[in-house]
Amino acid sequence: MKNSSLHDRGVINRYRPYLPVTEETPVVSLNEGSTPLIHSPWLSEIVGRGSEVYIKYEGLNPTGSFKDRGMTVAVSKALERGARFVICASTGNTSAAAAAYAARGGLSCAVLLPHGKIASGKLLQAFLYGAKIISLRGNFDDALNIVRQFSENPDVEIVNSINPFRIEGQKTAAFEVVDVLGNAPSLHLLPVGNAGNITAHWRGYREYHSAGKCDTLPHMIGFQAFGSAPLVLGHIVEEPDTIASAIRIGNPASWKPALTAISESHGLIDTVTDAEIITAQVQLASKEGIFVEPASAASIAGLLKYFCKSPHNRHRSLLVEGARIVCTVTGHGLKDPHTPAAIGMHLIESEATLSSVSNILEMK
Ligand code: AN7
């Protein structure tokens, strides 16, 4: 393609040598990836010790979340082997990405969603992209259990992160961080639900390290919502609960590889409460102009809770002087307009006159 820069070609074309594709693979892409890595003066100041904090804004992918990186690879490979349907269980974002890439690739798509627990923007996306939406009387873990049982059907491709191509695509987020910073950060913080993304990032960093693209590796730091924290508790949570519906998962599919990523990287996983998540979401928007969905704010909530200047800070010992810290924010705020609105929006009504508006603004 003429006049196309490296940054508008999607993750398969940009990172082809690192991905399980060949010249024969039909590339189904919406130019995902190349999301901005935004410096945060606010968080850098709060953390202190000369650190620089960056936000990897994954909400700027084509369907508004990081899931597009894995979905381009999973759907391309499904098409290559001749599958006709893609199916997934989802807390919302996977279903939006699956439906969009299936539409793009000419495949049918079915999504199994926990009834009443999907943010409205995500539901609307799956619907408009043309997926068959099944609203399940059960939670995400029930939905994934059903989806797993389609694995023997050759017409069907499961596009949850139990599909290894999903993890392969998602590792490109780590590549992009290194490509921008020139090396790996010292800490990489992520929200954790099904635990595929933290697994994928660690794989990405390790592969780039082996390829000589970076000479350090980050500590991988994960945060789960307090009511949905099986990895922190060390056991399945039968009835997971959190306001952050995207990470309302009690039995993560990538449980073991996520724990491996955390232990190999000398990282950690901990919890943040719903109140801390919402506070972080609101502050990130009002202080830095970055609007993310509640689940995404878990990485910011974790940074504020455990790494800031405070005597109680139990994880601050991981901070070296001048650390570069990356927080992934996984999904766009517009996907879930109701959750933050529930905290109360303050609108000021005015007559449609200049004097009324000026009065309110206390301007002459
Ligand atoms: C915004 O869409 O599991 O730990 O079905 O949507 O890799 O699962 C979404 C997960 C974080 C957690 N942030 O990532 C789904 C789904 C957002 C998310 C996660 C999700 P993983």
Side-chain angles (χ1 to χ4, degrees), residues 65-67 89-95 122 140 160-161 166 170 191-198 246-247 249 293 295-296 330-332:
S65 88
F66 70 99
K67 304 285 184 182
S90 181
T91 58
N93 281 324
T94 298
S95 65
K122 302 173 189 179
F140 170 82
N160 280 105
S161 55
R166 279 275 315 279
Q170 281 175 214
V192 173
N194 223 11
N197 211 23
I198 194 166
I247 51 173
I249 294 171
E293 65 169 286
S296 306
T330 40
H332 201 287

Side-chain angles (χ1 to χ4, degrees), residues 257-278:
L259 291 184
T260 303
I262 290 160
S263 66
E264 284 182 357
S265 73
H266 306 288
L268 59 93
I269 184 150
D270 214 326
T271 60
V272 287
T273 65
D274 281 4
E276 289 160 349
I277 285 172
I278 296 299

Side-chain angles (χ1 to χ4, degrees), residues 152-201:
E152 303 292 305
N153 186 329
D155 285 338
V156 178
E157 184 82 355
I158 298 173
V159 294
N160 280 105
S161 55
I162 53 176
N163 179 327
F165 299 130
R166 279 275 315 279
I167 304 290
E168 286 295 310
Q170 281 175 214
K171 75 188 179 189
T172 60
F175 296 167
E176 288 180 8
V177 170
V178 174
D179 287 345
V180 171
L181 294 181
N183 209 340
S186 54
L187 304 179
H188 193 131
L189 284 64
L190 293 141
V192 173
N194 223 11
N197 211 23
I198 194 166
T199 302
H201 275 75

